[in-house]
């Protein structure tokens, strides 16, 4: 039976809350690892498509990412490390990973957004903004006064989203080796002060 796409006023469906009524962000559980792995594989393939060869992109497998997340969630590292999941109902559609900044010039009160992604099919409905707000709240709650994140210089969409969210470049950059042949991709650092509450 084909799915219905009737947009008439069907009284049986008029009370439906719609897909956004139960959008949320929560701390990820071990059972979320497969869904987070799937989102990460899709998002990373998209973000790195312009800088990585096809054979390297093919290694971005959901199961490999899920395995790493499962291990991390089962035995979390010391410190304030969190994996946050954006959900549409029960479905995980995005994620954010945070922890202490690993940058050598960072103070002990600097947190890092190490990964952020929303599945392409779930974008532009607020999941990314909810994730970013939860990241800031979680880092503030852990005593962080500053946040760092690194983004591919070529990833205009993610950089634009983070700039609109209140982060800004501080001039730092790094060239990360991304292939066995020594190819590199430039990343730029975006930062935000967290000690001033947002208006």
């Amino acid at each position: 039976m084909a799915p219905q796409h009737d947009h008439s006023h069907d009284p049986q469906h008029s009370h439906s809350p719609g897909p956004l009524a139960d959008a949320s962000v929560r701390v990820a559980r071990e059972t979320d690892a497969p869904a987070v792995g799937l989102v990460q594989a899709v998002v990373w393939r998209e973000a790195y498509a312009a800088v990585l060869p096809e054979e390297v992109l093919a290694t971005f497998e959901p199961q490999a990412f899920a395995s790493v997340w499962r291990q991390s969630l089962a035995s979390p590292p010391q410190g304030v490390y969190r994996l946050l999941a954006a959900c549409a109902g029960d479905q995980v559609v995005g994620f954010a990973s945070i922890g202490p900044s690993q940058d050598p010039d960072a103070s002990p009160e600097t947190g890092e957004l190490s990964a952020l992604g929303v599945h392409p099919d779930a974008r532009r409905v607020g999941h990314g903004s909810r994730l970013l707000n939860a990241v800031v709240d979680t880092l503030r709650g852990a005593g962080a006064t500053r946040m760092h994140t690194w983004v591919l210089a070529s990833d205009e969409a993610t950089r634009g989203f983070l700039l609109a969210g209140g982060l800004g470049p501080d001039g730092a950059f790094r060239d990360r080796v991304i292939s066995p042949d020594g190819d590199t991709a430039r990343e730029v650092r975006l930062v935000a002060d967290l000690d001033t509450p947002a208006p």
Side-chain angles (χ1 to χ4, degrees):
M1 186 169 145
Q4 292 183 345
H5 296 288
D6 185 354
H7 297 290
S8 64
H9 293 290
D10 180 354
Q12 185 179 354
H13 295 98
S14 62
H15 64 278
S16 173
L20 297 183
D22 51 0
S24 63
V25 174
R26 60 172 171 74
V27 174
R29 303 183 278 259
E30 254 186 274
T31 52
D32 294 322
V36 172
L38 173 65
V39 173
Q40 185 175 9
V42 171
V43 171
W44 263 228
R45 284 178 187 162
E46 178 185 71
Y48 286 92
V51 295
L52 287 175
E54 186 57 44
E55 61 270 17
V56 177
L57 290 172
T59 67
F60 290 176
E61 285 294 322
Q63 297 84 354
F65 287 128
S67 175
V68 172
W69 288 121
R70 191 176 292 110
Q71 287 177 321
S72 175
L73 291 166
S75 304
Q78 292 288 324
V80 185
Y81 287 91
R82 299 281 185 278
L83 177 62
L84 303 174
C87 301
D90 293 332
Q91 184 179 5
V92 172
V93 295
F95 72 99
S97 173
I98 59 173
S101 176
Q102 303 302 306
D103 295 344
D105 61 345
S107 73
E109 293 79 35
T110 304
E112 181 169 332
L113 169 61
S114 54
L116 174 74
V118 174
H119 194 283
D121 294 344
R123 289 185 187 152
R124 303 197 180 283
V125 292
H127 294 297
S129 297
R130 277 186 287 277
L131 276 169
L132 192 55
N133 288 334
V135 163
V136 169
D137 290 345
T138 305
L139 289 174
R140 271 195 191 127
T145 58
R146 192 162 173 82
M147 179 172 84
H148 288 177
T149 191
W150 291 92
V151 63
L152 275 173
S154 61
D155 187 352
E156 306 263 349
T158 301
R159 195 168 75 245
F161 168 75
L162 293 169
L163 291 171
L167 285 88
D170 70 348
F173 65 89
R174 64 188 182 190
D175 292 319
R176 180 169 280 197
V177 177
I178 55 169
S179 78
D181 299 331
D183 296 325
T184 61
R186 175 146 295 186
E187 295 178 327
V188 294
R189 186 167 69 183
L190 303 179
V191 301
D193 287 323
L194 303 181
D195 50 2
T196 332

